[in-house]
Amino acid sequence: MKCFFPTHRPGHYPRISPWFYRHLSAEDLLMHHRRFKLALSNCHFPNPLSYRCTITKKGIRLEGISEFLLPLYVKEIHSRKDSPLVLQSDRNVTVNARNHMGQLTGQLTVGADAVEAQCKRFEVRASEDGRVLFSADEDEITIGAEKLKVTGTEGAVFGHSVETPHIRAEPSQDLRLESPTRSLIMEAPRGVQVSAAAGDFKATCRKELHLQSTEGEIFLNADKIRLGNLPTGSLSSSSASSSNSRQTVYELCVCPNGKLYLSPAGVGSTCQASSNVCLWS
């Protein structure tokens, strides 16, 4: 670890040779001794046997546990290649970055309850290629990972709109989009496609289900199209007597308002005779 000598500029360290002491008086030696004590007065060593202080050409090297009671000004702090660097505090560890005017430009605080970062832009990059995995600034938050996985039981809650080109569930899992108290709206200027390649597609609602096309058409393409629970119109008494008591074939009819209903099939169309069902809608 490199320490900063108060009587020198950061990055410049004194180099003392044995020949230097031959030309020093007792007063000069005392002065340099006080300077060296001042440089180490900021360090506190809990156990004299647990550290070793060595002055090298690159700075001061400390081995063991050291405590700094006052601010420490250094150009670089690093550990040995085979050991981690541990910064420890009873309250929190704060790292500040300042500009040439001394103004605070960034701050990272590791506390007991939270890890806080204050800066204009926060980025998390991949160690291999350096691509941005996560970035956040005042305007937007960007997630650059290939997959965003939410494992919470309540899922993900968005207070505003969400823009994404693709939403999918895990393999063998269901995908559920839900709005418990309001509406769920999906919009796209070039179309919205919902497909189930290996299963069913179901749309259920409590009230009306509207399929509307303002300029085109609604196209239903299937081998069988089933319309269940359609109301059945009743024929007049004269027509009913002539029809079979066990009706199995019905005619599909449409009311003027677009409502569908069934009418017992006959030789001709029976929709007009059983159109009384249109009065109920």
Side-chain angles (χ1 to χ4, degrees):
M1 180 177 61
K2 303 173 183 178
C3 293
F4 168 67
F5 287 85
T7 58
H8 293 269
R9 292 179 301 169
H12 296 267
Y13 308 99
R15 300 180 62 181
I16 303 176
S17 63
W19 295 96
F20 178 74
Y21 291 100
R22 296 178 59 181
H23 302 283
L24 291 179
S25 61
E27 184 177 353
D28 294 332
L29 290 174
L30 180 60
M31 181 184 64
H32 283 280
H33 177 67
R34 288 176 178 175
R35 289 180 178 179
F36 181 73
K37 290 182 62 179
L38 179 61
L40 296 182
S41 62
N42 198 19
C43 304
H44 171 67
F45 307 100
N47 186 2
L49 300 179
S50 64
Y51 74 94
R52 186 175 66 181
C53 180
T54 305
I55 301 178
T56 64
K57 295 181 180 181
K58 297 181 179 180
I60 296 179
R61 179 177 180 180
L62 296 177
E63 296 184 2
I65 301 176
S66 304
E67 296 181 4
F68 299 91
L69 306 180
L70 296 175
L72 175 65
Y73 300 91
V74 296
K75 181 180 179 181
E76 181 181 353
I77 298 178
H78 63 86
S79 63
R80 297 191 311 176
K81 295 182 178 180
D82 56 347
S83 301
L85 177 63
V86 179
L87 301 178
Q88 183 174 342
S89 174
D90 292 339
R91 293 186 178 180
N92 56 55
V93 177
T94 302
V95 180
N96 294 331
R98 301 181 182 272
N99 56 15
H100 64 282
M101 300 180 60
Q103 298 174 346
L104 184 65
T105 58
Q107 184 180 79
L108 177 64
T109 303
V110 181
D113 299 329
V115 177
E116 299 180 358
Q118 298 181 9
C119 53
K120 292 184 178 180
R121 183 177 179 84
F122 179 77
E123 292 185 354
V124 177
R125 295 181 175 271
S127 58
E128 296 180 357
D129 52 2
R131 59 189 178 93
V132 179
L133 299 179
F134 177 87
S135 65
D137 55 22
E138 189 176 357
D139 297 329
E140 65 178 5
I141 296 177
T142 303
I143 299 177
E146 296 181 358
K147 180 187 299 184
L148 174 61
K149 186 175 183 180
V150 181
T151 59
T153 56
E154 297 296 330
V157 180
F158 300 94
H160 299 282
S161 61
V162 178
E163 295 184 15
T164 176
H166 192 190
I167 298 178
R168 68 177 181 180
E170 287 285 333
S172 303
Q173 299 293 330
D174 296 333
L175 176 63
R176 185 172 184 177
L177 302 178
E178 180 181 0
S179 178
T181 59
R182 292 296 184 269
S183 301
L184 178 62
I185 301 175
M186 293 187 294
E187 296 181 351
R190 296 188 178 181
V192 177
Q193 180 178 357
V194 180
S195 62
D200 300 335
F201 173 74
K202 297 180 180 180
T204 59
C205 62
R206 183 177 179 180
K207 295 183 178 180
E208 290 85 3
L209 176 63
H210 297 271
L211 299 177
Q212 181 180 0
S213 177
T214 57
E215 297 181 359
E217 60 182 5
I218 298 177
F219 181 67
L220 301 177
N221 183 14
D223 295 337
K224 296 181 180 180
I225 298 177
R226 297 182 180 181
L227 303 176
N229 298 326
L230 291 179
T232 302
S234 58
L235 299 176
S236 59
S237 58
S238 59
S239 300
S241 59
S242 61
S243 63
N244 191 3
S245 60
R246 299 180 59 184
Q247 186 71 36
T248 59
V249 180
Y250 292 87
E251 181 181 358
L252 181 62
C253 306
V254 183
C255 296
N257 60 358
K259 181 178 180 180
L260 300 178
Y261 66 96
L262 298 179
S263 177
V267 178
S269 177
T270 59
C271 292
Q272 186 66 29
S274 60
S275 60
N276 57 346
V277 70
C278 296
L279 303 176
W280 306 339
S281 57

